[in-house]
Amino acid sequence: MAGQAGAVLADAAAAVPLLSVEELSVDFRTREGTVRALERVGFTVGRGETVGIVGESGSGKSVTAYALMGILDEAGQVTHGSAMFGGLNLLAAPERDLQRIRGRELSMIFQSPRTALNPIRAVGKQLEDVLLRHGNLRARDARDRAIELLAQVKIPDPKRRYAAYPFELSGGMCQRIMIALALACSPALLIADEPTTGLDVTTQAVIMDLIRELAADHGMATVLITHDLGLASEYCDRIVVMHAGHVVETAPMAVLFDAPRHPYTAKLIAATPHFGGALHTLAAIGGSLPDLRGALPPCRYATRCERRIEVCDQPPLSRDWIAADHLVACANPL
Amino acid sequence: MSALLEVEGLVKRFPVGGGAAGWRSMAGRFGIGSAGAPARPMLHAVDGVGFAIGRGETIGLVGESGCGKSTLVRLLTRLIDPTEGSIRFGDTDIGAIPAAQFGRSPDRARLQMVFQDATDSLNPRFTASDAIADPIRRLKPGLGGAALRRRVGELADLVGLPQTLLGRYPHQLSGGQKARVGIARAIAVDPELLILDEPTSALDVSVQVVILRLLEDLKQRLGMSYLFVSHDLNVVRLLCDRVLVMYLGKIVESGPAQAVFEAPAHPYTRALVSAIPTADRERQARRVHLAGEQRSPIDPDPAICRFYGRCPRGADLCRTAMPVLTPLAGEGARAVACHFPEPAPL
């Protein structure tokens, strides 16, 4: 089962990352001007690795995911960059190639499972749709496989739930269906966009453990998009911090939390309530996200930053690899 | 600390299901022979809840979705009528005032609410100033004209909303600003108790800190009590003196927030607290995993513990006798509804 993850990927050398995003820029054309939603975003995801993308709302986390999946809104346009996924540039590939890959080698879980599922189709049928499109299964085997998949995401009584509609299931159950859909063809990479937002903390633990377990079983890599640093710290190997469409810092999880170098990362960690903390120890982040229309300073955090120096206002934005796996986009790092 | 709010034996049941049951209810309404017909299935949303909130105290209410938090909040704010039980607020049993009339009762001003979603709960056609002035106009009709404008300005200052934004509509305000309007509106009529339903869940962490600080500051300055409903346990811990843990319509544990979070006694609380994400590998390894699904809240068996089936313990006693909320031995301030409480650090 694990072995089928990819004709496209078969000949890729082990040292080459599974996904390598470089200089990705996305603009949105709106009536009020062009919004520079992403500017030169870059990161890599290794095989079987879990990478977290964290940041506040409006930082460009979801736009990054949508651009990679090729499902950007019509107003959005990739203006620059590449995203190599096993020899194929996702940003330049023809729609036909993307359709072959999406759902089979590259899958996505969306934020609100109830709206992402088809409300008027039984969940088992929705699973069959994916299997028949990608799985090289005969129609009569698809039903059994769909029930197997429901059991795999630990849905009690999968035979009966096969015929259930999304409205008959709880939020946690719907998210399990989303996971079953995304993992139906054992993709090499799963993009999970806020998979547990709106779920209870106990359900969140179940869903995240399930993703982690299935990822380990199938050697699948995961990109976890979240605004919850606590969640990212538990489940991710590496973290990419985004702010206003820029990647400001990338580092292994422990390094990032113990010794953040970008002032924004440090502020974000200090603002997050953690177990055993007190209200007076939490620090607010001053200012707000800059308007992404019109002229922007090279560093988009500069207007909020307490460590701003003269160099910060001179292009280009400083990007330093301070270690082999640690990138900081700051002229005056901590 | 004298109690500001005292709730006793509060019950709310909702009828469920249509079909034959629906017809029986209809028949009953018109007085046509419904006698002898089996009772309609009832959903027990809140089932015998009792607690007290002292003056100046902040109580956290936690539990997963479907546990009855929101129904309890709606009962307390008198938006719906209880099936049984009393809600004493100061000297009055506000539970006895029909919800339809409570809006015109003088007690309405003493008990206000901040809603979960600041965007959805503000009237899109009201400016920030209108939104804040509305409860004053309705509940303190003596104030008008320049005095009202002055009061709105004062309130804006109090919640840190720049007065220049008072003329704006909700869609012209940021999430944090809308949260401030929601708070200003709730405190406009000098309430003694403020019920906050997930006030920061829609906000980014950077803004969340600011709003939490504002709430703490307002409490100190205005001497209000808070009932803080949230499923973010880290946030509850920051703000609350005491905490109530609900599971399927019942309070399963209560006590000082510090003690409950550090050594939860009820198996459900233990699972809840241990589910908080953490980078600490040892805590992760000690996580309590809950098996199975919630029991149905529809006509539950009164002799079976509500947590039975999901509980890692699940002894025979648990399905023959419903545990009641009892003070924990040696710790007067804590109470647990479990036959086998285990107050130990996680």
Side-chain angles (χ1 to χ4, degrees), chain B residues 55-341:
Chain B
R55 285 186 191 278
E57 201 181 17
T58 300
I59 303 252
L61 177 62
V62 301
E64 56 197 9
S65 38
C67 75
K69 290 192 305 261
S70 299
T71 305
L72 180 58
V73 163
R74 281 188 223 155
L75 287 169
L76 297 180
T77 44
R78 303 299 299 106
L79 298 174
I80 53 173
D81 288 322
T83 310
E84 281 167 30
S86 70
I87 308 168
R88 288 200 76 76
F89 190 69
D91 303 324
T92 354
D93 180 7
I94 59 168
I97 307 171
Q101 281 163 34
F102 193 73
R104 288 185 293 277
S105 134
D107 290 310
R108 171 79 287 167
R110 301 170 64 197
L111 192 161
Q112 287 286 303
M113 175 149 178
V114 176
F115 293 91
Q116 181 164 11
D117 190 320
T119 308
D120 285 347
S121 62
L122 291 175
N123 187 331
R125 302 179 63 164
F126 274 18
T127 60
S129 165
D130 292 335
I132 299 170
D134 195 41
I136 307 178
R137 285 203 185 98
R138 285 168 193 276
L139 297 168
K140 307 260 156 141
L143 213 61
L148 179 61
R149 275 197 298 280
R150 207 163 42 242
R151 174 73 180 141
V152 171
E154 260 173 45
L155 286 161
D157 290 345
L158 206 53
V159 299
L161 183 75
Q163 293 207 13
T164 48
L165 300 182
L166 282 173
R168 293 207 185 170
Y169 289 93
H171 74 271
Q172 298 167 310
L173 298 170
S174 73
Q177 288 161 349
K178 279 182 280 199
R180 288 175 203 270
V181 174
I183 294 169
R185 170 177 68 171
I187 62 172
V189 289
D190 301 311
E192 292 159 66
L193 174 65
L194 202 57
I195 297 183
L196 302 131
D197 187 5
E198 305 259 13
T200 61
S201 67
L203 303 174
D204 276 313
V205 283
S206 58
V207 187
Q208 171 172 281
V209 181
V210 181
I211 297 297
L212 291 176
R213 286 243 176 87
L214 170 68
L215 289 171
E216 184 66 31
D217 177 55
L218 286 175
K219 198 182 97 160
Q220 302 294 336
R221 282 211 256 172
L222 306 177
M224 290 179 286
S225 305
Y226 285 165
L227 178 69
F228 191 91
V229 183
S230 179
H231 66 243
D232 188 334
L233 300 173
N234 282 332
V235 170
V236 169
R237 199 185 144 103
L238 289 176
L239 220 58
C240 299
D241 307 314
R242 277 197 303 135
V243 56
L244 307 171
V245 184
M246 266 186 97
Y247 188 81
L248 272 187
K250 287 191 177 289
I251 292 179
V252 294
E253 181 160 1
S254 69
Q258 189 82 6
V260 171
F261 282 119
E262 254 152 43
H266 193 282
Y268 174 66
T269 320
R270 296 182 70 77
L272 201 61
V273 173
S274 81
I276 301 173
T278 172
D280 184 341
R281 299 281 174 232
E282 283 174 30
R283 272 189 80 89
Q284 285 176 23
R286 289 196 298 269
R287 180 160 291 163
V288 183
H289 292 274
L290 293 182
E293 289 291 295
Q294 267 185 13
R295 301 183 73 80
S296 166
I298 297 164
D299 291 334
D301 188 327
I304 303 177
C305 174
R306 295 283 160 88
F307 196 47
Y308 185 77
R310 268 182 113 188
C311 183
R313 184 110 188 192
D316 284 346
L317 180 60
C318 306
R319 58 183 168 80
T320 48
M322 172 76 78
V324 289
L325 197 63
T326 10
L328 199 59
E331 285 191 71
R334 287 180 71 182
V336 186
C338 178
H339 294 303
F340 309 99

Side-chain angles (χ1 to χ4, degrees), chain A residues 97-171:
Chain A
D97 288 355
L98 285 179
Q99 283 181 358
R100 197 162 43 80
I101 284 193
R102 273 193 304 241
R104 181 151 63 183
E105 283 158 25
L106 175 64
S107 265
M108 182 157 171
I109 300 176
F110 295 88
Q111 192 172 131
S112 41
R114 225 181 272 279
T115 47
L117 292 170
N118 184 342
I120 55 164
R121 196 157 168 76
V123 295
K125 289 281 178 201
Q126 299 190 45
L127 271 167
E128 278 184 21
D129 292 342
V130 175
L131 289 169
L132 292 173
R133 176 71 179 76
H134 293 298
N136 309 324
L137 274 174
R138 279 174 308 180
R140 63 184 130 107
D141 298 329
R143 189 192 154 90
D144 295 339
R145 180 76 187 121
I147 292 170
E148 255 174 65
L149 285 166
L150 292 176
Q152 192 188 359
V153 292
K154 297 175 186 161
I155 286 183
D157 202 355
K159 277 208 178 87
R160 197 163 60 84
R161 294 286 159 75
Y162 170 91
Y165 288 89
F167 76 89
E168 297 174 298
L169 302 171
S170 67

Side-chain angles (χ1 to χ4, degrees), chain A residues 35 41 44 65 91 97 106 109 132 151 156 188 247 269 279 287 292 307 326:
Chain A
V35 179
V41 164
T44 60
L91 305 179
D97 288 355
L106 175 64
I109 300 176
L132 292 173
V247 168
I269 294 170
L279 190 54
L292 300 184
R307 299 177 57 84
H326 195 166

Side-chain angles (χ1 to χ4, degrees), chain A residues 2 22 26 40 42 53 64 71 75 83 151 162 171 259 276 280:
Chain A
E22 274 172 39
V26 171
R40 298 177 62 205
I53 302 185
T64 304
I71 51 172
Y162 170 91
H280 65 267

